Amino acid sequence: MVNLTAPLRVGYVLFPAFTALDVFGPLNVLNLVSITHNMTLSLVSMDLSPISVDRTIIDGVPSGGLASSASPNFTEFVLPTHTFDTAPTFDVIIVPGGPGTRDLNSTEPIVDWLRERFDDPELDYMMTVCTGASLLARTGKLAGRNATTNKAAFNWVKSVEHADEVNWIAKARWVVDGNVWTSSGVSAGTDMTLGWVEQLYGRNESERIRILMEWVMLNQTDDPFAALYGLE
């Protein structure tokens, strides 16, 4: 159980080609929450090099599936604060999705780190947004648990190692199973984070944040995209 009298220690995993809203939507919620509640934030990655958003660009060179897009260098860069080796203890770890999750080799260190941190007795919540669920599934720690993910990538996520051990919920905006929270695609991560704020701090606080953001929130079971992709 989170000790709300101490700083809430949040760790956000970053990797090249994470989806922008997977990170900045939930962080917008947390930025507002942190004004009135004591929190710390760490951005964790392989090293401290700038991380490209939505595209894989390393040392100025585009690679991956979007390297042949109309705008291969169109990106933003985010600076991590910690590496996997230097990251502190967390109460909450959040894992985004994005095209970068499909690079199984380069994301293996993330999977290894998540597997280790999952069993940390001080970790109260492990949360994934979109295809970030594929990274957590690959740890084997989701075995026997309920989870969801991006509906456009639903079948791909179900194909990764250990994903066959997970009970994937097709129609869900987000799913809660114990200390594991998983959301559907992209904008669903913000809905999930608002739901999580409600659990921790109450409905009035989550509504205050939602209204400040002018965010139209879908509830936990309101998933219009499952039917769109024929997953119902």
Side-chain angles (χ1 to χ4, degrees):
M1 179 65 66
V2 170
N3 179 4
L4 296 181
T5 63
L8 184 70
R9 301 163 297 180
V10 179
Y12 226 118
V13 175
L14 300 181
F15 48 83
F18 70 81
T19 292
L21 196 60
D22 288 12
V23 171
F24 299 119
L27 278 184
N28 199 155
V29 175
L30 297 179
N31 285 344
L32 291 170
V33 173
S34 71
I35 295 172
T36 52
H37 300 275
N38 194 359
M39 305 170 71
T40 64
L41 174 65
S42 300
L43 305 177
V44 188
S45 191
M46 279 285 295
D47 55 42
L48 297 181
S49 301
I51 303 294
S52 54
V53 180
D54 283 310
R55 288 164 171 77
T56 299
I57 301 176
I58 298 175
D59 296 328
V61 180
S63 62
L66 293 179
S68 58
S69 69
S71 308
N73 292 296
F74 191 99
T75 192
E76 307 81 39
F77 290 92
V78 178
L79 291 176
T81 61
H82 295 82
T83 69
F84 294 130
D85 291 331
T86 65
T89 300
F90 297 118
D91 301 299
V92 186
I93 292 174
I94 309 176
V95 186
T101 60
R102 294 180 182 252
D103 189 334
L104 301 183
N105 290 328
S106 70
T107 54
E108 191 61 35
I110 303 174
V111 173
D112 292 340
W113 185 79
L114 291 174
R115 184 183 298 112
E116 177 185 347
R117 288 297 182 114
F118 193 93
D119 293 325
D120 185 341
E122 294 195 48
L123 183 71
D124 291 299
Y125 296 96
M126 179 71 79
M127 307 173 75
T128 69
V129 180
C130 195
T131 56
S134 70
L135 301 175
L136 191 56
R138 287 166 56 195
T139 68
K141 297 296 185 178
L142 283 183
R145 289 182 181 258
N146 296 329
T148 196
T149 188
N150 185 309
K151 301 315 180 311
F154 201 75
N155 291 327
W156 174 78
V157 172
K158 290 174 64 177
S159 75
V160 303
E161 186 180 14
H162 297 302
D164 59 341
E165 302 163 8
V166 182
N167 180 28
W168 295 102
I169 308 298
K171 186 175 182 180
R173 190 65 171 164
W174 75 87
V175 168
V176 180
D177 190 328
N179 68 330
V180 176
W181 292 53
T182 55
S183 86
S184 187
V186 195
S187 61
T190 304
D191 291 343
M192 176 182 69
T193 306
L194 285 166
W196 176 76
V197 168
E198 179 177 345
Q199 176 170 296
L200 258 65
Y201 301 110
R203 175 72 172 176
N204 288 344
E205 181 68 349
S206 66
E207 273 294 280
R208 183 182 72 84
I209 299 300
R210 185 189 67 79
I211 292 167
L212 282 172
M213 293 175 62
E214 298 191 10
W215 185 265
V216 179
M217 178 182 174
L218 296 179
N219 65 40
Q220 189 172 350
T221 57
D222 188 1
D223 179 9
F225 300 101
L228 184 65
Y229 289 99
L231 297 172
E232 289 188 297

